[in-house]
Amino acid sequence: MDGGTCDVVVVGNGIIGLSTAFELSQRAADLRISVIGPPAREGAASVAAGAMLNCFGEATVSTLGDPASIAKFAVTRAALDAWPAWLDKLCDAADGTRARRSMRQGTFIVLGAGAAESTISNFHAIRSVLATYDEPFEEVVPAEIKGMAPEVNSRPVRALHLPREGAIDAREVLALLERALTTRGVDVIPGTVEQLVISDGRVHGVRLADGETMSAPTVVVAAGSLTQRFIEQLPPGAVPLMLHGTGLGVLTQRHDVPGFGQVVRTPNQSGACGLHLVPLDDLGHEYIGGTNLPSFLPSAGPSIGVSFNLLRRACEDFDHRLGYSRIHRWLVGRRPVTLDGFPLLGAAPSCRGLVFATGTYRDGFHSSPVIAAHLADVVLERAAAHPYFDHFVPERPPIERTSVAAAIDEFVVHENDDAVMLGIRLPYCVDPESISGHYRRTAEDVYSRLAEPIALLPEILNAVNNEPSECVRLLNPYLRAARERYGPRVASRASRSAG
């Protein structure tokens, strides 16, 4: 069945897909653009996002550690500058208003008394990166933060205030983008794309789940964590694997107001994002989040334990009165996480007309204005060599930030810290190294099963450990194919030489 013809099909109606379509419509008014995605966006990262506009707040000890990480940070830093004007442009296109009711500026980074090793290191890294880039910030007294009322044993010992960072209501921005696209004449089509239509080395359109085909000479894949089905249509090993990073968010309303006036969060913690609370309005509505569980197979949702731990920590570390808040809605989304943790942004040389716009992990919402501008350049064939985005071309070997030995060490630290956050307390007579030894053996066992040992992020290594069958079915065939295509250990060399 023929579903029609257009110039550009955007696969996916999350923040990256909608933003790219909007930018294209702004640049080329005569371009026929169709965005295809399910209206409910079930499991999508965008609808479940806390949408923190955090750049420096996301910094870790690895942020400036290698060329690809520096490039990724540069993109988020550019986005921090771009958001106010971008939102004004969206408002003008949608309904003529320039109001930015949902943008809240200001973020507090708090370091709790019981913070684990990696959290403490990341707090110092944030402060160092702020100073390196001369970003405005202030070290403040934690007890003076409006709304802060943690349990006695969890009182923060240090805090930073970042006035230029903050958050925005993700659901409101998605609705704003859809209205803006309608005014620009972009077709927003409800449906799910099952397959790319490829022949003779180029893409010709997409096939939907209902059997219809949409023809187009250019296809932008912005399908989030579901991108793996399209990666598998390209030559084996060409594009890094895509995993699903399941995250949980909770929309609540306070029993007592006011609460926090600005975003409050911790540094990133043990393979996950930092615990965070985002005030949504002055009526006590808030967003609580801070989980991340990558997996090769899409998860039906977080466990009771993960959910309990998220809410427990929010009450203990931020405000014990949150225990009285009413839960309005549970939000579950799957972040697009590549095997190496870096995005896939740009054209695919093995398939003319195919552009990837995914793999943004935790930075997609924040970075969307800058990513959309770059992808519009790619689609309109105006993109030149770029010092940042050239690291993230979709057809590449997996980027390694460090060595396998260092990755194992990092995994051990993160697992130890995770145990601390979950409440482990060892008696004085138990050597902590006994716990570290267990995690080290776990990591070494995982690496012994890999067809090509490459340095993995701690959370990715955990996914491999938790799903050994997928290591056999998906991961090892990819690693063998990537080695054949790019050469042994080419990933490390690619990351270094790109800088």
Side-chain angles (χ1 to χ4, degrees), residues 29 40 57 69 136 142 192 250 261 263 270 275 310 319 326 382-383 397 437 448:
S69 295
T192 301
V250 187
V263 173
S270 62
L275 176 69
L310 171 67
D319 184 358
R326 303 296 180 187
R382 299 172 185 171
S448 72

Side-chain angles (χ1 to χ4, degrees), residues 227-236 241 473-474:
T227 299
Q228 182 59 30
R229 69 178 65 167
F230 308 117
I231 291 175
E232 291 174 0
Q233 290 190 250
L234 298 181
L241 298 179
R473 184 188 72 87
L474 191 64

Side-chain angles (χ1 to χ4, degrees), residues 165-177:
E165 303 205 350
I168 193 165
D169 190 319
R171 279 66 48 192
E172 185 173 323
V173 173
L174 290 171
L176 194 65
L177 272 164

Side-chain angles (χ1 to χ4, degrees), residues 233-425:
Q233 290 190 250
L234 298 181
V239 179
L241 298 179
M242 183 69 70
L243 283 73
H244 310 267
T246 301
L248 170 69
V250 187
L251 295 180
T252 64
Q253 184 172 18
R254 281 183 170 270
H255 177 265
D256 53 342
V257 293
F260 290 98
Q262 299 178 29
V263 173
V264 59
R265 61 164 297 171
T266 70
N268 285 341
Q269 303 172 322
S270 62
C273 48
L275 176 69
H276 52 275
L277 185 148
V278 179
L280 300 177
D281 56 31
D282 296 325
L283 302 176
H285 293 98
E286 296 170 326
Y287 173 101
I288 300 171
T291 61
N292 180 55
L293 297 168
S295 58
F296 288 92
L297 299 174
S299 169
S303 66
I304 289 176
V306 168
S307 308
F308 165 76
N309 193 50
L310 171 67
L311 297 180
R312 175 185 66 83
R313 289 174 53 221
C315 293
E316 291 179 355
D317 295 356
F318 292 160
D319 184 358
H320 66 87
R321 297 167 299 178
L322 291 171
Y324 297 101
S325 293
R326 303 296 180 187
I327 293 177
H328 278 198
R329 188 179 175 190
W330 296 88
L331 302 172
V332 178
R334 295 190 292 266
R335 301 181 182 93
V337 187
T338 59
L339 185 66
D340 58 17
F342 291 101
L344 308 175
L345 304 170
S350 66
C351 185
R352 296 188 305 280
L354 180 61
V355 176
F356 280 88
T358 186
T360 48
Y361 204 172
R362 295 192 297 263
D363 301 320
F365 214 105
H366 170 80
S367 299
S368 55
V370 175
I371 290 174
H374 173 69
L375 293 173
D377 285 340
V378 172
V379 170
L380 298 174
E381 298 183 345
R382 299 172 185 171
H386 197 287
Y388 309 143
F389 287 107
D390 286 355
H391 287 268
F392 311 129
V393 293
E395 294 192 12
R396 65 165 193 261
I399 299 169
E400 293 183 277
R401 298 178 301 113
T402 187
S403 66
V404 169
I408 291 176
D409 290 341
E410 185 180 14
F411 175 80
V412 171
V413 169
H414 279 243
E415 289 301 291
N416 279 331
D417 289 358
D418 197 38
V420 170
M421 286 197 304
L422 291 172
I424 190 172
R425 294 292 184 272

Side-chain angles (χ1 to χ4, degrees), residues 40 76 78 91 94 119 124 131 149 155 162 174 225 241 274 291 298 325 328 379 403 435:
T76 64
C91 289
T119 308
H124 292 302
R155 289 172 178 165
L162 283 57
L174 290 171
S225 70
L241 298 179
T291 61
S325 293
H328 278 198
V379 170
S403 66
I435 305 297

Side-chain angles (χ1 to χ4, degrees), residues 12-354:
N13 59 350
I15 187 67
I16 299 295
L18 295 181
S19 297
T20 301
F22 175 73
E23 185 71 19
L24 282 169
S25 72
Q26 293 279 101
R27 303 262 198 101
D30 59 341
L31 206 63
R32 296 172 300 164
I33 306 167
S34 295
V35 178
I36 304 175
R41 300 185 180 90
E42 184 177 352
S46 295
V47 291
M52 290 186 294
L53 304 182
N54 279 189
C55 164
F56 292 90
E58 284 285 310
T60 70
V61 293
S62 302
T63 293
L64 304 181
D66 63 277
S69 295
I70 292 171
K72 186 178 180 183
F73 178 75
V75 172
T76 64
R77 188 163 170 250
L80 184 64
D81 296 331
W83 257 101
W86 169 255
L87 191 55
D88 278 343
K89 186 164 67 171
L90 289 183
C91 289
D92 287 345
D95 51 24
T97 179
R98 297 185 67 82
R100 297 206 302 268
R101 292 179 294 109
S102 66
M103 179 180 280
R104 285 182 170 256
Q105 290 192 297
T107 293
F108 290 101
I109 313 289
V110 297
L111 181 65
E117 180 182 343
S118 63
T119 308
I120 296 170
S121 297
N122 287 339
F123 181 87
H124 292 302
I126 291 171
R127 206 180 191 290
S128 175
V129 175
L130 285 165
T132 297
Y133 288 91
D134 200 25
E135 175 70 14
F137 77 97
E138 179 185 7
E139 183 139 9
V140 298
V141 177
E144 295 179 0
I145 297 174
K146 176 186 175 182
M148 182 68 70
E151 292 189 356
V152 173
N153 294 332
S154 299
R155 289 172 178 165
V157 293
R158 296 184 68 179
L160 304 173
H161 182 241
L162 283 57
R164 290 209 311 139
E165 303 205 350
I168 193 165
D169 190 319
R171 279 66 48 192
E172 185 173 323
V173 173
L174 290 171
L176 194 65
L177 272 164
E178 287 185 330
R179 292 201 302 273
L181 290 177
T182 299
T183 64
R184 302 294 300 173
V186 175
D187 289 329
V188 179
I189 301 171
T192 301
V193 174
E194 290 287 344
Q195 192 176 33
L196 304 173
V197 179
I198 298 174
S199 65
D200 301 323
R202 73 162 298 116
V203 69
H204 298 278
V206 298
R207 183 169 293 108
L208 279 66
D210 61 8
E212 285 197 354
T213 298
M214 175 70 71
S215 299
T218 301
V219 174
V220 178
V221 174
S225 70
L226 298 178
T227 299
Q228 182 59 30
R229 69 178 65 167
F230 308 117
I231 291 175
E232 291 174 0
Q233 290 190 250
L234 298 181
V239 179
L241 298 179
M242 183 69 70
L243 283 73
H244 310 267
T246 301
L248 170 69
V250 187
L251 295 180
T252 64
Q253 184 172 18
R254 281 183 170 270
H255 177 265
D256 53 342
V257 293
F260 290 98
Q262 299 178 29
V263 173
V264 59
R265 61 164 297 171
T266 70
N268 285 341
Q269 303 172 322
S270 62
C273 48
L275 176 69
H276 52 275
L277 185 148
V278 179
L280 300 177
D281 56 31
D282 296 325
L283 302 176
H285 293 98
E286 296 170 326
Y287 173 101
I288 300 171
T291 61
N292 180 55
L293 297 168
S295 58
F296 288 92
L297 299 174
S299 169
S303 66
I304 289 176
V306 168
S307 308
F308 165 76
N309 193 50
L310 171 67
L311 297 180
R312 175 185 66 83
R313 289 174 53 221
C315 293
E316 291 179 355
D317 295 356
F318 292 160
D319 184 358
H320 66 87
R321 297 167 299 178
L322 291 171
Y324 297 101
S325 293
R326 303 296 180 187
I327 293 177
H328 278 198
R329 188 179 175 190
W330 296 88
L331 302 172
V332 178
R334 295 190 292 266
R335 301 181 182 93
V337 187
T338 59
L339 185 66
D340 58 17
F342 291 101
L344 308 175
L345 304 170
S350 66
C351 185
R352 296 188 305 280
L354 180 61

